[in-house]
Amino acid sequence: MSSDLDTPLIIALDYPRLDQALAMAERLDPSRCRVKVGKELFTRTGPRVLEALHGLGFEVFLDLKFHDIPNTVAGAVEAAADHGVWMVNVHAGGGRRMMEAARERLERRRLGTHLIAVTVLTSMERDDLIEVGVEAEPLSQVERLARLAQQSGMAGVVCSAQEAAALRATCGDDFLKVTPGIRPRASSADDQRRTLTPGEAMAAGSTHLVVGRPVTQAPDPMAALATIERELAESS
């Protein structure tokens, strides 16, 4: 999906109810940010939330992290694209055939939704990887999965800001690097373990920044978003 929107900011609408998500969206400006819909909100509300957000003028990142057999994931990605979402993701751990099947389905239908892959969840550290049988350091595992995703035709990956510089070197500037766990200078880290500030993340090579609570829990969400915009301008 082509877009003229010139902002790296994606605001995470991590709410359980449609009315809560829309109340926040109505306090944001679709010309200054995109929004992300995740598993809980989409599972509770279904496509209604996408229709409502599109109606408000927002481009939507549907963050469902599909991971299944190739044909099932291809069908799910196609369904997301049919709903008009700007971006959707799959787990790179599903392998080359799964990612290629999803990419080929979008190409066959000439659907322009950006298809990206999750590498290593930002909540995971080395001990977490070891527990699931991955002996590699997080950065090594991220780089391996990012290379596989690029070879499989993905437009980019979800990655930690701390890994963005390595992925820029490995996969190039045009390969999207969507970074959650972004915290403005005054914010706490919450449950995201590998975090950087907006300016640090963009300088490292991130192309898009996912921000949640620092904006959505602020008394004035647009003032909080403006603070992030200023941080980005100061660091550019």
Side-chain angles (χ1 to χ4, degrees), residues 124-138:
M124 297 188 77
E125 298 175 325
R126 182 149 194 263
D127 289 346
D128 301 304
L129 291 177
I130 289 172
E131 284 185 337
V132 297
V134 177
E135 297 292 335
E137 293 285 347

Side-chain angles (χ1 to χ4, degrees), residues 2 75 117 142 198:
S2 62
V142 166

Side-chain angles (χ1 to χ4, degrees), residues 22-35:
L22 295 185
M24 176 51 61
E26 287 169 353
R27 300 179 70 184
L28 300 172
D29 183 346
S31 71
R32 290 168 62 183
C33 64
R34 297 179 173 92
V35 292

Side-chain angles (χ1 to χ4, degrees), residues 206-225:
S206 299
T207 61
H208 295 83
L209 309 177
V210 179
V211 184
R213 284 166 281 197
V215 169
T216 61
Q217 292 187 0
D220 184 340
M222 280 306 299
L225 190 146

Side-chain angles (χ1 to χ4, degrees), residues 68-149:
D68 212 311
I69 63 173
N71 190 60
T72 297
V73 169
V77 165
E78 180 181 20
D82 280 337
H83 284 303
V85 301
W86 165 72
M87 178 180 282
V88 68
N89 57 5
V90 301
H91 265 289
R96 183 188 302 273
R97 288 192 299 116
M98 186 200 79
M99 288 188 282
E100 287 181 345
R103 184 255 304 162
E104 289 167 0
R105 184 72 63 89
L106 293 182
E107 289 178 348
R108 188 179 314 135
R109 290 278 317 281
R110 294 183 172 84
L111 296 167
T113 295
H114 295 298
L115 180 60
I116 65 172
V118 175
T119 56
V120 176
L121 296 173
T122 56
S123 61
M124 297 188 77
E125 298 175 325
R126 182 149 194 263
D127 289 346
D128 301 304
L129 291 177
I130 289 172
E131 284 185 337
V132 297
V134 177
E135 297 292 335
E137 293 285 347
L139 178 57
S140 176
Q141 181 70 357
V142 166
E143 288 182 301
R144 175 184 294 112
L145 292 175
R147 284 193 297 270
L148 179 62

Side-chain angles (χ1 to χ4, degrees), residues 3-198:
S3 172
D4 296 326
L5 188 58
D6 183 22
T7 175
L9 297 177
I10 304 169
I11 306 305
L13 298 179
D14 291 330
Y15 296 96
R17 300 202 318 263
L18 179 62
D19 60 337
Q20 294 172 316
L22 295 185
M24 176 51 61
E26 287 169 353
R27 300 179 70 184
L28 300 172
D29 183 346
S31 71
R32 290 168 62 183
C33 64
R34 297 179 173 92
V35 292
K36 179 178 80 72
V37 170
K39 285 185 172 69
E40 181 178 9
L41 180 58
F42 188 79
T43 301
R44 290 183 183 277
T45 67
R48 286 184 301 151
V49 67
L50 304 180
E51 295 165 2
L53 291 169
H54 287 149
L56 292 173
F58 285 97
E59 294 183 351
V60 180
F61 169 23
L62 185 59
D63 178 25
L64 299 184
K65 302 180 180 72
F66 296 125
H67 189 168
D68 212 311
I69 63 173
N71 190 60
T72 297
V73 169
V77 165
E78 180 181 20
D82 280 337
H83 284 303
V85 301
W86 165 72
M87 178 180 282
V88 68
N89 57 5
V90 301
H91 265 289
R96 183 188 302 273
R97 288 192 299 116
M98 186 200 79
M99 288 188 282
E100 287 181 345
R103 184 255 304 162
E104 289 167 0
R105 184 72 63 89
L106 293 182
E107 289 178 348
R108 188 179 314 135
R109 290 278 317 281
R110 294 183 172 84
L111 296 167
T113 295
H114 295 298
L115 180 60
I116 65 172
V118 175
T119 56
V120 176
L121 296 173
T122 56
S123 61
M124 297 188 77
E125 298 175 325
R126 182 149 194 263
D127 289 346
D128 301 304
L129 291 177
I130 289 172
E131 284 185 337
V132 297
V134 177
E135 297 292 335
E137 293 285 347
L139 178 57
S140 176
Q141 181 70 357
V142 166
E143 288 182 301
R144 175 184 294 112
L145 292 175
R147 284 193 297 270
L148 179 62
Q150 188 173 46
Q151 293 164 6
S152 302
M154 300 296 98
V157 292
V158 177
C159 66
S160 161
Q162 293 177 335
E163 295 134 2
L167 294 188
R168 179 166 58 184
T170 300
C171 301
D173 289 330
D174 293 337
F175 193 63
L176 302 181
K177 301 159 201 77
V178 180
T179 301
I182 295 299
R183 297 290 181 267
R185 286 189 290 259
S187 296
S188 62
D190 297 314
D191 62 351
Q192 302 284 350
R193 301 301 182 200
R194 306 198 305 282
T195 65
L196 291 178
T197 68

